[in-house]
Amino acid sequence: MADSELQSKYVLQTAGFDARFPNQNQTRHCFQNYTDYFKCIAAKGEDYAPCKQFKRAYNSLCPNEWITKWDEQRESGTFPASLEP
């Protein structure tokens, strides 16, 4: 496959700049996007397109191990933050 075919097939993006998190350490930004995503889908539903931006951002910023741990905590009811809208 030629490079031009690969470039047109895949679009790679990372989370954009967020003025609330101006420093290099993006841990808080990661966690905030994770909680914002679940608050958004609770309020608007999974098909609401703007919610997907939060998901893309936390998938880009957060280590997979954290996401797995947080998913397990949500399922068991021990997640440390409120996900109510």
Side-chain angles (χ1 to χ4, degrees):
M1 214 180 263
D3 286 337
S4 62
E5 290 178 35
L6 283 176
Q7 289 176 352
S8 64
K9 190 173 182 179
Y10 299 102
V11 177
L12 300 177
Q13 290 182 316
T14 59
F17 176 75
D18 188 335
R20 298 175 297 172
F21 308 100
N23 299 320
Q24 291 179 348
N25 186 342
Q26 295 296 303
T27 302
R28 178 77 178 142
H29 191 184
C30 153
F31 185 77
Q32 188 65 52
N33 277 289
Y34 184 86
T35 56
D36 285 347
Y37 172 71
F38 287 100
K39 287 179 182 182
C40 184
I41 63 171
K44 302 288 186 173
E46 289 190 39
D47 296 330
Y48 189 62
C51 294
K52 293 178 183 175
Q53 176 58 33
F54 294 123
K55 185 172 186 172
R56 282 192 297 271
Y58 84 71
N59 277 319
S60 173
L61 294 168
C62 302
N64 292 334
E65 293 81 17
W66 292 5
I67 295 170
T68 302
K69 179 181 176 185
W70 293 337
D71 288 343
E72 291 169 358
Q73 288 177 335
R74 274 188 316 102
E75 291 169 6
S76 67
T78 60
F79 189 71
S82 171
L83 297 176
E84 295 299 318

